Amino acid sequence: MEEPQRARSHTVTTTTSSFAENFSTTSSSFAYDREFLRTLPGLLIVAEIVLGLLVWTLIAGTEYFRVPAFGWVMFVAVFYWVLTVFFLIVYITMTYTRIPQVPWTTVGLCFNSSAFVLYLSAAIVDASSVSPEKDSHNFNSWAASSFFAFLVTICYAGNTYFSFIAWRSRTTQ
């Protein structure tokens, strides 16, 4: 019984070391795609990051916990801000070329379309929850966050369109 266990552990060791060798050789030189930021999808991602940051910082700087609807807006804004930063890093470093097993066009389409739908709902909730109160700081910040939430929604709609075009061209090949 000891012989098969040794063979199994030897196989795992070989697989692990070959994975480590492949990983170390591929990650030793990261590619950097400077041209991505000059494309329209790249510019839209940068706009989503900047405007999304404005949305959640404008709300977080107020007493938003008094209006429960702003909890949803904060969740959507922070969640998609973090994921958009992640995707920007993936695209700039061209990580998607190193992991061909992932259907990146489908992932991009699902991400951008879900971001569009949820950000649209968050922008509507944000706009409908803005009400004048004694403290004008909250009102001004909430109104500004509503405006920027709609701008981010438009950016995600644009990236959804470009993701759909990429996905459609990928599936017809």
Side-chain angles (χ1 to χ4, degrees), residues 10-159:
H10 177 68
T11 304
V12 170
T13 305
T14 304
T15 304
T16 304
S17 65
S18 65
F19 173 76
E21 289 172 11
N22 288 339
F23 185 74
S24 66
T25 58
T26 58
S27 61
S28 63
S29 63
F30 273 112
Y32 176 68
D33 186 12
R34 291 183 185 104
E35 295 301 314
F36 176 74
L37 293 177
R38 294 182 181 158
T39 64
L40 197 51
L43 292 172
L44 285 173
I45 288 177
V46 171
E48 291 162 0
I49 291 171
V50 171
L51 297 173
L53 180 66
L54 284 171
V55 169
W56 66 265
T57 54
L58 283 167
I59 293 175
T62 65
E63 297 173 354
Y64 69 91
F65 50 85
R66 287 196 273 160
V67 181
F70 286 124
W72 170 247
V73 178
M74 283 291 290
F75 169 75
V76 170
V78 173
F79 180 74
Y80 280 107
W81 185 82
V82 169
L83 286 179
T84 304
V85 168
F86 169 75
F87 274 106
L88 179 65
I89 292 168
V90 165
Y91 290 134
I92 286 179
T93 61
M94 297 176 62
T95 304
Y96 60 91
T97 61
R98 290 185 172 84
I99 311 172
Q101 299 85 1
V102 176
W104 288 104
T105 54
T106 305
V107 169
L109 178 61
C110 291
F111 169 73
N112 285 313
S113 59
S114 69
F116 167 67
V117 169
L118 293 181
Y119 237 111
L120 180 61
S121 72
I124 292 169
V125 166
D126 194 358
S128 64
S129 299
V130 174
S131 62
E133 56 181 45
K134 295 176 187 173
D135 181 15
S136 65
H137 169 71
N138 284 348
F139 174 77
N140 292 336
S141 294
W142 293 342
S145 73
S146 174
F147 172 75
F148 289 122
F150 279 106
L151 288 181
V152 176
T153 303
I154 293 169
C155 291
Y156 278 116
N159 257 339

